[in-house]
DNA sequence: CGCTATACAATCGCGCACGATTATATCATG
DNA sequence: CATGATATAATCGTGCGCGATTGTATAGCG
């Protein structure tokens, strides 16, 4: 290992992580486009399908996003008719995000998306699990 | 596994990939800021330190980026004095990207960056290798 | 040689992503 | 209860990221 180059692209761990993430969201496009969603809007909807009626801050904590990203994104989802945004009565600082009927119905049209992605991801099931475990570990090391 | 939810955020492989990539570039910021680089500019410089004098298209192939992203990015690097852009004499369609002296010198100030990142990434060496292998495999499945 | 097809970079438009700031509401504390 | 501290979302500015389009240069082909 005498001539190991720490700055060679080939020797990076972070670069394939960065590149794979970009390529992945590109793969989602043909699946999400018909639903009128970008990838980030899709993960926001996933969070809301699980936890309807949470605040912008709570949503951001789940998605690792702040209000600078979420506020305009949620306005776009609102314009699409998928969510509703309203100030909390109990705490006027917080904004509650609620699914509309259309937003809830969208879930049915999205259930095939994870299955399609699993198909184009050429990993053995145990490799996919190990990858997820390692990525979660990386993510947690930045807590 | 009767009530397995394919749309739960917790069950996604792609979401931690997306989130980890974002958090990672955030970790790079304090290291790259003093060098006057963003993360994408940094990987572009890594590619150029290895292959000086390549075209925008060749650079894009290495980084999985197209000219819409690279042209403005390279102009910023040019304004910083790190690279030079000039039309190829042999093929006037192509633009050659060349490092300046300052761009080459920057490499010395960047050699510690991968080491610092390895430190904040709390993975065992064999886990890091396995993660890199799996990410590369994902990336190649989109060839 | 002329003419179409292809290649290449640049440009445009839109949507993240985020550090920093701002405005408002709530909390804490004396 | 008043006032400073904290919390929350919105806003602003900059830089990706990319699909689509444009303009120019080269290649291919009759």
């Amino acid at each position: 290992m005498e001539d190991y180059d720490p700055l060679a692209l080939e020797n990076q761990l972070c670069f394939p992580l960065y590149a794979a993430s970009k390529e992945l969201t590109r793969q989602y496009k043909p699946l999400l486009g018909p639903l009128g969603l970008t990838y980030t809007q899709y993960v926001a909807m996933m969070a809301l399908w699980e936890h309807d009626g949470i605040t912008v801050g709570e949503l951001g904590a789940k998605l690792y996003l702040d209000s600078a990203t979420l506020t305009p994104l949620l306005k776009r989802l609102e314009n699409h008719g998928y969510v509703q945004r309203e100030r909390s009565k109990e705490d006027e600082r917080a904004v509650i995000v609620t699914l509309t009927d259309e937003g809830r119905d969208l879930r049915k049209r999205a259930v095939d998306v994870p299955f399609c992605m699993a198909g184009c991801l050429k990993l053995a099931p145990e490799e996919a699990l190990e990858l997820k475990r390692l990525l979660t570990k990386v993510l947690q090391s930045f807590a």
Side-chain angles (χ1 to χ4, degrees), chain A residues 27-111:
Chain A
Q27 296 292 314
Y28 270 101
K29 249 163 228 190
L31 302 176
L32 298 180
L35 308 182
L37 295 178
T38 65
Y39 180 71
T40 310
Q41 289 168 10
Y42 168 66
V43 294
M45 291 301 290
M46 281 199 289
L48 289 170
W49 287 327
E50 279 190 273
H51 303 97
D52 197 1
I54 61 178
T55 68
V56 173
E58 289 164 345
L59 186 56
K62 292 180 191 307
L63 305 182
Y64 301 85
L65 293 171
D66 70 354
S67 67
T69 300
L70 282 177
T71 297
L73 182 147
L74 290 169
K75 284 181 180 175
R76 282 186 282 269
L77 286 178
E78 192 172 36
N79 289 338
H80 275 295
Y82 291 150
V83 306
Q84 209 173 358
R85 299 160 57 248
E86 48 188 344
R87 290 270 162 197
S88 164
K89 299 291 184 223
E90 300 83 47
D91 185 344
E92 291 271 338
R93 291 171 301 182
V95 167
I96 308 284
V97 185
T98 319
L99 289 168
T100 61
D101 290 343
E102 199 182 343
R104 262 184 301 275
D105 288 352
L106 186 65
R107 195 180 186 288
K108 300 181 187 68
R109 297 205 288 141
V111 286

